[in-house]
């Protein structure tokens, strides 16, 4: 019944993988890997090129960056799979340029992302042309953590130290 049981990780069930696929975000149940997506989030004007994605498991909120729109967005998952039933919210749409790394700290309610420094901003001392940013999950209190660094492709939050 569960094809992933032989991986020596115990019984695997009710696990969804969320992936970005061109202009949509899809959920795939890992016990049925070749099945069609069981849930899809898409909207022709709200999701154009989603790249990085994170999920708040307790609140059931999906966060993603859209490299075409230059925005970070979210949507609360519901029991309905009809995309029109889901209200997409823009979290950040100012000062966002080419998001690379992306992470959500669920315990602290913080959002981290790396981005290219916009060309119109002067880069101090040359540097790598990228920065690490922080905000709350509503996009407020936008703060630079690192400036003029090389590209940060991935971010993982380790809160249990």
């Amino acid at each position: 019944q569960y094809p992933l049981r032989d991986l020596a990780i115990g019984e695997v069930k009710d696990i969804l993988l969320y992936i970005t696929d061109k202009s949509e975000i899809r959920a795939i149940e890992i016990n049925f890997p070749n099945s069609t997506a069981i849930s899809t989030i898409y909207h022709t004007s709200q999701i154009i090129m989603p790249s990085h994605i994170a999920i708040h498991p307790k609140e059931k909120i999906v966060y993603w960056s859209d490299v075409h729109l230059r925005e970070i967005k979210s949507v609360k998952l519901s029991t309905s799979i009809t995309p029109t039933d889901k209200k997409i919210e823009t979290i950040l749409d100012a000062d966002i340029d080419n998001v690379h790394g992306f992470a959500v700290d669920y315990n602290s309610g913080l959002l981290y992302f790396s981005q290219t420094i916009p060309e119109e901003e002067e880069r101090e001392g040359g540097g790598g042309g990228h920065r690490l940013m922080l905000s709350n999950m509503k996009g407020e209190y936008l703060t630079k953590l690192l400036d003029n660094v090389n590209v940060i492709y991935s971010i993982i939050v380790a809160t249990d130290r």
Side-chain angles (χ1 to χ4, degrees), residues 14-15 33 84 96 123 136-137 154-155:
D14 300 329
I15 295 177
T84 55
I96 304 296
R123 296 179 184 163
N136 67 10
M137 290 187 179
S154 297
I155 301 169

Side-chain angles (χ1 to χ4, degrees), residues 57-70:
K58 290 182 182 175
E59 299 293 327
K60 305 250 188 265
I61 298 174
V62 177
Y63 294 86
W64 71 92
S65 63
D66 192 301
V67 294
H68 180 78
L69 296 173
R70 294 176 154 179

Side-chain angles (χ1 to χ4, degrees), residues 8-9 13 23 59 63 70-71 75 79 81 83 86 92 117 124 134 136 150 153 156:
I9 57 175
K13 57 182 176 179
S23 61
E59 299 293 327
Y63 294 86
R70 294 176 154 179
E71 296 175 340
V75 69
T79 55
I81 62 169
K86 298 175 181 173
L92 284 167
I117 297 173
E124 297 175 15
L134 156 74
N136 67 10
N150 291 323
Y153 290 107
I156 296 175

Side-chain angles (χ1 to χ4, degrees), residues 10-29:
E11 190 171 289
V12 177
K13 57 182 176 179
D14 300 329
I15 295 177
L16 297 177
L17 293 179
Y18 284 85
I19 61 169
T20 60
D21 183 11
K22 196 173 180 179
S23 61
E24 66 182 353
I25 298 169
R26 300 171 57 197
I28 299 169
E29 192 170 3

Side-chain angles (χ1 to χ4, degrees), residues 129-154:
H130 299 273
R131 65 172 54 130
L132 179 62
M133 303 294 290
L134 156 74
S135 77
N136 67 10
M137 290 187 179
K138 296 182 184 271
E140 303 164 327
Y141 311 109
L142 192 60
T143 306
K144 290 181 209 175
L145 293 178
L146 292 172
D147 212 1
N148 294 312
V149 296
N150 291 323
V151 179
I152 299 170
Y153 290 107
S154 297

Side-chain angles (χ1 to χ4, degrees), residues 1-13 31:
Q1 184 178 6
Y2 297 106
L4 298 178
R5 180 176 280 167
D6 296 333
L7 294 178
I9 57 175
E11 190 171 289
V12 177
K13 57 182 176 179
N31 282 303

Side-chain angles (χ1 to χ4, degrees), residues 37-40 78-86:
I38 63 169
S39 177
T40 302
S78 64
T79 55
S80 170
I81 62 169
T82 307
T84 55
D85 292 346
K86 298 175 181 173

